[in-house]
Amino acid sequence: MARHPGPLHTPLLGHAEYEAAVDAVLARATSSMRIFDQTLGSAYNSTYRTDLLRNFFLASRRNSLHIALHDTSALDRACPRLLGLLRIYGHAISVHQTRPAAKSVYDPFMIVDDCCFARRFHFDEIRGLCVYDDPAATQPLVERFAEIWEESSPAVSATTLGL
């Protein structure tokens, strides 16, 4: 997706639009990614998304991906390609599971470089918002992710899965 000269806010009106927005936002990442969701689905196992992540990690050794999930149990079943990336880029990927204090958070989102995000308003809601190049609009989600991260614990690593 081409870069825009200023902030762009786009409503998302369905699951397919949300997944396309996640891919578009991921493609823009140059240094950091943060993902919060209930669980990660098979979209994170697609070849396209895995290639986006691999290229992100190859671009710089300093790049990082932080994932906070309410339930990490589906990762081995739904995302073997992502786990393969974890094995290779374990220094750059952290996966946490939320503790009870954060289980009430219900709006999944993905942030890149503290200036772009894709967000659904509720796990069960198909509506959402995609924002490009707007650090001010992204900052509340960056802070929210930090709070979620604080209320989570490491849950998945290359060593604990025996990879």
Side-chain angles (χ1 to χ4, degrees):
M1 176 174 253
R3 301 266 180 193
H4 299 277
L8 176 66
H9 294 228
T10 305
L12 304 173
L13 302 174
H15 183 71
E17 285 185 20
Y18 177 75
E19 292 300 334
V22 166
D23 287 339
V25 171
L26 283 174
R28 294 171 150 258
T30 61
S31 62
S32 68
M33 296 181 190
R34 296 177 186 94
I35 298 169
F36 166 70
D37 211 327
Q38 189 169 20
T39 189
L40 288 186
S42 59
Y44 282 92
N45 196 52
S46 73
T47 303
Y48 180 73
R49 197 167 290 177
T50 304
D51 287 345
L52 283 174
L53 292 169
R54 180 178 293 109
N55 291 337
F56 170 74
F57 294 124
L58 289 172
S60 174
R61 188 158 174 78
R62 292 187 189 137
N63 288 353
S64 65
L65 168 60
H66 292 84
I67 302 171
L69 303 171
H70 285 326
D71 180 6
T72 61
S73 65
L75 277 177
D76 60 343
R77 174 175 74 254
C79 304
R81 287 187 176 111
L82 180 60
L83 292 176
L85 291 177
L86 177 63
R87 185 179 65 241
I88 297 166
Y89 303 104
H91 66 281
I93 303 172
S94 299
V95 181
H96 281 201
Q97 184 164 330
T98 56
R99 294 190 299 260
K103 296 289 186 192
S104 63
V105 180
Y106 54 82
D107 56 329
F109 57 87
M110 189 262 308
I111 306 164
V112 301
D113 300 337
D114 297 344
C115 66
C116 302
F117 68 85
R119 175 183 179 208
R120 285 196 342 253
F121 300 127
H122 192 279
F123 293 128
D124 298 326
E125 177 72 44
I126 61 170
R127 293 180 315 110
L129 180 66
C130 184
V131 171
Y132 297 109
D133 303 321
D134 193 342
T138 306
Q139 189 58 35
L141 281 182
V142 170
E143 292 169 8
R144 187 165 195 184
F145 187 87
E147 293 168 358
I148 293 167
W149 196 254
E150 184 71 26
E151 290 300 326
S152 66
S153 302
V156 178
S157 73
T159 56
T160 59
L161 290 175
L163 296 176

